[in-house]
Amino acid sequence: MPEPGGYEALMSRALELAHNGPATGINPRVGCVIVGADGGIIAEGWHRGVGTAHAEVDALGKLPHGRARGATAVVTLEPCNHTGHTGPCSVALIEAGIARVVYAVSDPGHASGGGAARLRAAGVEVIAGVHAREVGAFLNDWLTAARLGRPFVTVKWASSLDGRIAASDGTSQWITGTAARQRVHEQREGSDAIVVGTGTVLADDPSLTARGDGGELLAAQPTPVVVGTRSIPADAAVLRHPHTPVILATHDVAGVLRDLRARGFRRVYVEGGPTLVSAFVAAGLVDEYLIYLAPSLIGGDRLALGDIGVTTIGEQRRLDIVSVEQLGTDLLITARPRATAASTPKEGIQ
């Protein structure tokens, strides 16, 4: 059996397995390897989505009865401690006779957390914090949603270098090039829901689908969400979306997120327009910014953001740049609200 400090390679393997899980939906992507007394892997598992076996149970289910007794489970996320669609993984590990559990990051969920304490109370050795930074980055969207009790919110806009999203006559197609626009479709595909305001539907009549280079529908489609109190036309393109649109006649963006969380959405992609985007920013409800910049100047007052509550320079919303990528002649800047030490997973054995 590996020493307490020798689980990095096994955790890396568990993380590889976690990538097999679905990137959308309310549940996290989790991987697990079970290691025998000789340090060799005897079973592997991962979570395949809501209603399916969690990673630990998936791995245990591949072993004959009694084979897990005295073994070590290496799992990317602290084993859950509640009954939802399935039972608690902490109990499953205890009943299987697992002697040691190694995990990367703690479960911040009010209902699902606490598995480590339950394991320790049952006499199972628990080691936490192995590859916490790497796994924490992978699970960032789910951890944020679990900690805040709402979906992870990505806001996207495309603008000229001077921050304009349209010309003075309202035309905006196209500010950015084909490579940037295709990346947007890929990001839509990786989201549970795509959110726009009624103003965008009335002005642009978007379909809000995720499409490939040839205009074909991609395999996964976000559920379209239209927010606002104005009526939309009966023949609006969004009403022909593969998923039935969610129409929310409100301006309460926090309420919108509560609704979408209740529907089982983990990742929400807010795509417009400036009134809706500004409301999310002003409310402090944005976890990630995707800003596409075209090498052009437009001028005028069609800005990407309106009033976000900043009245003096000391109130400006500070961001951390995560990455800058060139797509054709355009730039994609990925940024997040400035991180605090408390929000950064700690690496190391705990």
Side-chain angles (χ1 to χ4, degrees), residues 43-79:
E44 298 181 335
W46 66 88
H47 183 49
R48 292 165 173 80
V50 174
T52 67
H54 289 192
E56 301 95 317
V57 175
D58 183 46
L60 289 171
K62 297 171 183 175
L63 295 173
H65 180 72
R67 180 69 175 88
R69 188 160 301 279
T72 295
V74 179
V75 60
T76 51
L77 181 67
E78 176 188 9

Side-chain angles (χ1 to χ4, degrees), residues 287-314:
D287 304 301
E288 179 180 64
Y289 293 84
L290 300 176
I291 302 169
Y292 290 85
L293 290 179
S296 67
L297 300 173
I298 297 176
D301 58 0
R302 302 274 184 157
L303 292 168
L305 286 179
D307 181 12
I308 59 171
V310 174
T311 59
T312 183
I313 197 65

Side-chain angles (χ1 to χ4, degrees), residues 212-224:
D213 290 334
E216 75 282 5
L217 292 179
L218 297 177
Q221 292 293 322
T223 296

Side-chain angles (χ1 to χ4, degrees), residues 36-161:
D38 63 355
I41 295 175
I42 59 175
E44 298 181 335
W46 66 88
H47 183 49
R48 292 165 173 80
V50 174
T52 67
H54 289 192
E56 301 95 317
V57 175
D58 183 46
L60 289 171
K62 297 171 183 175
L63 295 173
H65 180 72
R67 180 69 175 88
R69 188 160 301 279
T72 295
V74 179
V75 60
T76 51
L77 181 67
E78 176 188 9
C80 70
N81 194 41
H82 80 303
T83 299
H85 293 280
T86 61
C89 292
S90 55
V91 172
L93 292 165
I94 292 166
E95 292 178 345
I98 290 289
R100 178 185 287 174
V101 172
V102 180
Y103 68 87
V105 295
S106 298
D107 186 337
H110 296 297
S112 55
R118 190 168 191 169
L119 289 163
R120 289 190 179 100
V124 178
E125 181 184 2
V126 177
I127 299 171
V130 176
H131 276 338
R133 294 185 190 279
E134 183 178 3
V135 175
F138 171 72
L139 284 174
N140 180 60
D141 61 342
W142 183 85
L143 290 169
T144 299
R147 186 176 69 252
L148 299 177
R150 61 163 177 76
F152 183 92
V153 176
T154 295
V155 157
K156 165 263 173 182
W157 70 75
S159 73
S160 58
L161 286 180

Side-chain angles (χ1 to χ4, degrees), residues 195-248:
V195 183
V196 299
T198 52
T200 295
V201 174
L202 293 170
D204 299 335
D205 194 26
S207 65
L208 301 184
T209 53
R211 302 183 297 277
D213 290 334
E216 75 282 5
L217 292 179
L218 297 177
Q221 292 293 322
T223 296
V225 179
V226 180
V227 177
T229 55
R230 286 185 286 178
S231 298
I232 62 174
D235 62 347
V238 69
L239 299 178
R240 299 189 294 275
H241 193 282
H243 296 310
T244 301
V246 176
I247 310 296
L248 299 176

Side-chain angles (χ1 to χ4, degrees), residues 318-337:
R318 295 282 186 180
L319 307 179
D320 289 326
I321 302 297
V322 176
S323 64
V324 179
E325 181 181 0
Q326 185 157 353
L327 297 168
T329 60
D330 305 313
L331 294 180
L332 167 57
I333 298 175
T334 302
R336 291 178 182 161

